[in-house]
Amino acid sequence: MRLSIKVRLVALMVVLAALLFVLWLYTAPSHTVSQIVISVDGHEAPTEVKQELAAYIGSPLMRLPLGKMEAQLKRLGTVKTAAIKRRLPDTVQVDLTLTESAVVVHSGDDGRYYLVKDGALVAIPAVDAAPYRQRVMTVEVPSSYAALMVRWGVDQLFGQVIALTQSLADESALITRVKYDNNSSNSFGKMVLELSSLHAQIWVREPVGPERVRTAISLVQADQERSLYFLSSETRRYDLYREGLVRR
């Protein structure tokens, strides 16, 4: 009988010690978040991620809603996946996979930037757009059109613009600016490829493949050289159709 009481007392003391330890973890000042370590393979952590996580500095480490925090990060345009762990005594470890976007979308009339994520446009800060713009080409669109694609997703025509722009990445030294406007007299809209060094623009008026565009660029180069384009600052326009290239 005495042994049974001792066993019960020991068990009770163990339970109380465990409860006190848990209480200490949750309440000790030394277990408040003092640093957040963000790990991103090969890239700098996006500014919008740092701003989102900064609010948790000083919070009790053990009370952090890790699931909610991960969901908040995955709603950001730059974040594809997020995994968050606690590291005693005062650290939060955040492992990120960044969104891979075929292009950066820029609405020039209001200065906003977007990535293509899960079939729609998602806004990102300009400072976070800069690293993406070093890797992929940027397409300028009207702000009203960007707002539609944020709400309803990327439409089929702009999907063709994205695919064509992405396939022309090897021509980025010549193509200094890409603009697309869906408000046009034809169903495709108007895709403008600006070739600043040649003082020329190619207006893509119908869906065409990348090889058709490369051929058009070669024709523009030859035509501009014949016309001694470097002696004039005037920009010459060429309209590209499936059947041919027309100088305007």
Side-chain angles (χ1 to χ4, degrees):
M1 189 68 175
R2 289 179 182 176
L3 183 60
S4 178
I5 292 175
K6 288 182 179 179
V7 170
R8 290 180 183 178
L9 287 174
V10 170
L12 180 59
M13 291 176 66
V14 170
V15 171
L16 287 174
L19 289 174
L20 289 173
F21 178 72
V22 171
L23 182 63
W24 173 70
L25 285 178
Y26 273 82
T27 59
S30 59
H31 294 147
T32 58
V33 178
S34 65
Q35 63 176 338
I36 297 177
V37 178
I38 305 173
S39 175
V40 188
D41 287 342
H43 300 290
E44 175 72 18
T47 297
E48 64 176 356
V49 170
K50 295 177 183 178
Q51 292 174 342
E52 185 76 26
L53 294 172
Y56 294 98
I57 295 291
S59 301
L61 180 65
M62 301 305 294
R63 296 183 187 178
L64 292 178
L66 301 188
K68 179 182 177 181
M69 293 169 64
E70 291 172 351
Q72 289 172 334
L73 291 181
K74 285 187 282 189
R75 282 195 289 268
L76 300 177
T78 56
V79 178
K80 180 180 180 181
T81 65
I84 303 178
K85 299 178 181 178
R86 302 179 183 91
R87 280 171 39 189
L88 291 172
D90 59 0
T91 302
V92 174
Q93 174 69 44
V94 182
D95 296 313
L96 298 179
T97 301
L98 299 186
T99 300
E100 294 184 4
S101 182
V103 297
V104 173
V105 179
H106 177 47
S107 55
D109 46 345
D110 65 7
R112 295 184 178 181
Y113 288 91
Y114 305 85
L115 297 181
V116 182
K117 179 181 179 182
D118 298 329
L121 298 191
V122 183
I124 62 171
V127 66
D128 288 336
Y132 280 94
R133 297 185 72 187
Q134 294 175 3
R135 303 194 297 270
V136 299
M137 297 177 72
T138 301
V139 181
E140 296 182 25
V141 300
S143 59
S144 57
Y145 187 40
L148 285 175
M149 290 191 286
V150 168
R151 183 171 183 179
W152 303 109
V154 172
D155 59 53
Q156 182 179 6
L157 290 177
F158 194 67
Q160 294 174 340
V161 171
I162 291 173
L164 181 57
T165 303
Q166 184 180 24
S167 66
L168 294 171
D170 57 343
E171 300 287 350
S172 60
L174 277 176
I175 302 174
T176 53
R177 191 178 185 187
V178 180
K179 296 187 290 184
Y180 178 73
D181 190 344
N182 63 325
N183 293 320
S184 181
S185 57
N186 66 33
S187 58
F188 175 70
K190 179 180 67 180
M191 182 180 181
V192 179
L193 307 178
E194 190 165 307
L195 312 174
S196 298
S197 63
L198 298 176
H199 302 165
Q201 292 180 342
I202 297 177
W203 290 29
V204 182
R205 307 312 300 260
E206 297 176 333
V208 295
E211 289 307 317
R212 190 74 190 87
V213 176
R214 291 190 182 96
T215 300
I217 292 175
S218 297
L219 292 173
V220 169
Q221 284 179 300
D223 186 54
Q224 291 290 76
E225 288 172 1
R226 284 193 299 270
S227 63
L228 301 179
Y229 70 94
F230 48 84
L231 298 178
S232 172
S233 60
E234 180 182 357
T235 299
R236 184 170 291 180
R237 168 184 160 187
Y238 299 80
D239 282 7
L240 178 61
Y241 301 90
R242 294 189 187 94
E243 302 302 322
L245 182 70
V246 180
R247 187 175 70 185
R248 298 298 183 185

